[in-house]
Amino acid sequence: MTSSHRGTAVVTALLALSLAGMPLLAQPRAPAPQRGGPPGPETPYIIIPTFQSTDRKFGTEAAEEVRHRMQGEHSAKELFVVLGTTIQANLVASGYPPDSALGVADVMVLSRQLHGEYVLDGKAVKSGGGVRFDTRLLMSIGQNMLVQPLPPADGKDVGDAARLVDHSISDALKGMPMFRKCIADLRATKPDDAIISARAGLAAYPNSALSRVCLLNAYTNKKAPPDTIISVATQILAADPTSMLALTNLVDAYDAKNDTDKATDATFRIYRLDPSNKANAGSLINRLAKGEPLKALAILDSLIVNNPGDPELLRNKWLLQLKAGQFKKAIATGEELVKADTAAATLDFYQRQIGAAQSDSNAAKVQELAAKAAQRFPKSSFSLLVAQSYYKSGQLQQALDAARRVAAADPKSLDAWKFIVATLSDMHQPDSALAAGQQAIAAGVPKDSVGDLLLGRIAGPAIKAAQTSKTRADWEAALKAAQAIDAIAPTAQSSFYVGVAAFQLASDILTDVQPLTKSKKKEDQAQACTMAKQGEDLLATTSIAMPKGASVDKDTAGKILGAVGQYSDFVAQVKKAFCK
């Protein structure tokens, strides 16, 4: 758009505002035409919006004074200063008061609307007997906003301060041609030429943050050593502590040097520039999580305040609490997470939650979580965890019911059947435990596994109890259990237990036969015959079973089989004498 067209647009906008009855901001002086005629097609435009100030009128006056000063010092061919009336008209048309002091994002939009190449962003403060202007030049390169800080201008009045600002801008513009050449070199993928251009820009204007930014980009493109990157980035930050480009490159350079502390410090600086930025906060949290989870949690909490119910933030908080050992808090955060995002209730989620409850020694919470998990994932191990929690709390029937539900969902689950057999055994229901073993085999569980399970939970304890009490009743119970298991799932161990129990019973019975053989009473002699036959049957059982079970304990098996021969001779004598 030419300057005449722009002027027409401004007049039209102002006329429309006047017709609408909207007041325009009074100007300190009528804007005079800038010397040098209209701007050329390559002339850069500078936008000077109202300065930030606690006194809006003072901010407006400060901006207008700088405009007036620059219009007098620069020809329109060199640098065109957009009129204050043009800026005000644009603001009003966009719904802003004409004296608005815009934020950076809005002022850059204003700059694009008015074709401004530069924006002077300023803050005006009255101090003591004078004034102070803190200013910086802003410009856009592609999608990036670049900042050139300017020295503070302390003057006795706005005119004096405006003069200093104009002088600083004039100095800064000396390096602009070289900076633009540097940018062109970068776009042409000529980093070496860009470095030369950037250094020329610094020679023309030693305080040029923009030339240093271009230099940093050139070094980055060349993959320069980390120390080189750090040196330039640090210089940029000295002038502009808000330079995101410098900070991000600083992080990468320190990472390349494995300097974790300084990389984390730079990441902290990025976060502080915009604490509400989730991406920047996430980067810092990931770093802190490796060594300082409590600091990371504090940052997460601040983010969650502004983003309540955010699943990503809640999950990160939950994981950090688990890592920090804050199990009770982690459980509560996990519950918030699945309320915000039901899809978060995965197998892994429940495993971690249950692990936290176990670490917190919270049996009730373990049971509650396991029950929820079992309902959601019926074929998982969570149902067994429910059974286990009931078992530990002494609720055996509930434990048995939970284990049976697992077996119903997965009939071949050996773990489920192990739990069923163990629980029935503890409930002193050996017959039911044996029946459960048969059901397990029928369901497809390997016989050997079932046999080992039954021996370990039923026959083994029965044998041990009989060895301790040495009573015939306990040996009879042990033999019954061993024989039942041997019939369901025969193994060398089951045969060994049958042989041991049968021999012990035979030995006990035949020991009682001995005094009967010395009696002259017919009823004693008849009883001796009956008991001898019982012993004989038991010895036969031992003779059949023990060779199969000899591999379990060869010495014991050998001794028992040797004793069987001696007892057999005694039985034969008794039968011959009393069984007629």
Side-chain angles (χ1 to χ4, degrees), residues 370-407:
K372 289 180 180 178
Q375 186 175 8
R376 189 175 179 91
F377 304 100
K379 291 189 177 182
S380 68
S381 60
F382 293 123
S383 294
L384 279 178
L385 193 56
V386 174
Q388 185 181 53
S389 65
Y390 279 127
Y391 183 87
K392 287 183 176 179
S393 64
Q395 298 171 283
L396 297 183
Q397 186 59 54
Q398 291 90 331
L400 179 62
D401 293 341
R404 288 196 182 280
R405 285 194 292 272
V406 180

Side-chain angles (χ1 to χ4, degrees), residues 451-452 455-456 459 482 486 490-499 548-549 551-552:
D452 291 342
L455 287 168
D486 194 58
T491 61
Q493 186 70 60
S494 65
S495 293
F496 183 77
Y497 280 164
V498 168
K548 297 179 182 178
S551 61
V552 175

Side-chain angles (χ1 to χ4, degrees), residues 26-85:
Q27 299 298 322
R29 57 171 63 85
Q34 193 169 349
R35 64 181 175 83
E42 300 300 323
T43 301
Y45 284 41
I46 185 168
I47 311 295
I48 306 176
T50 300
F51 282 13
Q52 301 284 339
S53 176
T54 54
D55 180 346
R56 181 173 290 189
K57 182 179 178 182
F58 179 58
T60 303
E61 180 187 353
E64 182 57 32
E65 188 64 32
V66 174
R67 287 191 209 102
H68 178 71
R69 167 68 63 171
M70 294 191 68
Q71 286 172 340
E73 296 294 330
H74 302 271
S75 78
K77 299 289 186 183
E78 171 199 348
L79 177 68
F80 183 72
V81 181
V82 176
L83 296 175
T85 52

Side-chain angles (χ1 to χ4, degrees), residues 78-261:
E78 171 199 348
L79 177 68
F80 183 72
V81 181
V82 176
L83 296 175
T85 52
T86 303
I87 295 172
Q88 292 163 12
N90 188 280
L91 288 173
V92 172
S94 300
Y96 290 95
D99 58 348
S100 295
L102 301 178
V104 171
D106 289 336
V107 83
M108 296 310 291
V109 172
L110 174 66
S111 174
R112 286 193 293 272
Q113 291 173 344
L114 297 178
H115 308 285
E117 188 164 345
Y118 306 116
V119 172
L120 183 67
D121 181 46
K123 180 179 179 181
V125 179
K126 293 179 181 179
S127 59
V131 299
R132 179 188 179 99
F133 294 170
D134 290 306
T135 58
R136 56 183 185 166
L137 279 178
L138 309 178
M139 64 184 299
S140 293
I141 300 292
Q143 298 299 314
N144 299 312
M145 186 189 77
L146 301 182
V147 178
Q148 174 59 62
L150 299 173
D154 293 305
K156 61 181 183 297
D157 53 32
V158 290
D160 191 32
R163 177 182 58 79
L164 295 173
V165 170
D166 173 67
H167 180 73
S168 295
I169 292 174
S170 297
D171 284 346
L173 293 178
K174 292 176 184 176
M176 284 299 176
M178 302 78 159
F179 165 71
R180 294 193 178 282
K181 174 66 167 55
C182 180
I183 293 296
D185 292 334
L186 284 179
R187 287 173 175 168
T189 322
K190 298 178 179 178
D192 290 328
D193 290 348
I195 290 171
I196 293 172
S197 298
R199 287 174 175 166
L202 288 170
Y205 180 50
N207 292 330
S208 176
L210 299 180
S211 289
R212 285 188 173 86
V213 165
C214 194
L215 182 63
L216 179 60
N217 276 303
Y219 279 139
T220 302
N221 291 349
K222 280 177 60 71
K223 294 182 172 52
D227 285 338
T228 300
I229 301 292
I230 290 169
S231 174
V232 178
T234 301
Q235 291 173 33
I236 293 171
L237 291 169
D240 179 16
T242 67
S243 173
M244 195 65 72
L245 176 69
L247 286 169
T248 53
N249 275 275
L250 204 58
V251 170
D252 292 340
Y254 281 128
D255 277 338
K257 293 186 67 174
N258 294 317
D259 193 334
T260 304
D261 290 342

Side-chain angles (χ1 to χ4, degrees), residues 208-446:
S208 176
L210 299 180
S211 289
R212 285 188 173 86
V213 165
C214 194
L215 182 63
L216 179 60
N217 276 303
Y219 279 139
T220 302
N221 291 349
K222 280 177 60 71
K223 294 182 172 52
D227 285 338
T228 300
I229 301 292
I230 290 169
S231 174
V232 178
T234 301
Q235 291 173 33
I236 293 171
L237 291 169
D240 179 16
T242 67
S243 173
M244 195 65 72
L245 176 69
L247 286 169
T248 53
N249 275 275
L250 204 58
V251 170
D252 292 340
Y254 281 128
D255 277 338
K257 293 186 67 174
N258 294 317
D259 193 334
T260 304
D261 290 342
K262 288 184 178 179
T264 300
D265 179 67
T267 308
F268 249 122
R269 292 175 67 178
I270 291 173
Y271 164 72
R272 290 191 189 105
L273 289 176
D274 184 5
S276 64
N277 187 305
K278 288 173 61 178
N280 293 343
S283 177
L284 177 58
I285 288 165
N286 289 337
R287 285 183 178 277
L288 293 175
K290 297 174 183 178
E292 298 181 88
L294 294 181
K295 287 186 179 179
L297 281 169
I299 293 170
L300 268 171
D301 283 336
S302 66
L303 287 174
I304 291 172
V305 168
N306 297 321
N307 301 274
D310 185 296
E312 180 185 357
L313 295 177
L314 287 171
R315 177 172 174 76
N316 286 334
K317 179 179 179 180
W318 174 62
L319 292 172
L320 275 173
Q321 286 173 329
L322 289 173
K323 183 173 182 177
Q326 297 179 352
F327 301 117
K328 196 180 298 295
K329 291 181 179 179
I331 294 169
T333 302
E335 290 172 349
E336 286 185 59
L337 171 60
V338 294
K339 286 180 183 177
D341 179 14
T342 55
T346 62
L347 276 169
D348 177 71
F349 169 80
Y350 279 113
Q351 287 167 346
R352 290 174 184 264
Q353 281 285 84
I354 290 169
Q358 289 172 331
S359 297
D360 194 40
S361 302
N362 191 337
K365 183 59 73 172
V366 169
Q367 189 170 314
E368 175 193 330
L369 289 166
K372 289 180 180 178
Q375 186 175 8
R376 189 175 179 91
F377 304 100
K379 291 189 177 182
S380 68
S381 60
F382 293 123
S383 294
L384 279 178
L385 193 56
V386 174
Q388 185 181 53
S389 65
Y390 279 127
Y391 183 87
K392 287 183 176 179
S393 64
Q395 298 171 283
L396 297 183
Q397 186 59 54
Q398 291 90 331
L400 179 62
D401 293 341
R404 288 196 182 280
R405 285 194 292 272
V406 180
D410 184 8
K412 294 184 180 181
S413 171
L414 176 59
D415 288 335
W417 288 110
K418 280 182 178 179
F419 214 98
I420 291 169
V421 169
T423 305
L424 287 169
S425 175
D426 287 351
M427 294 171 73
H428 306 293
Q429 298 180 24
D431 291 342
S432 295
L434 290 169
Q438 289 176 306
Q439 292 169 0
I441 292 171
V445 179

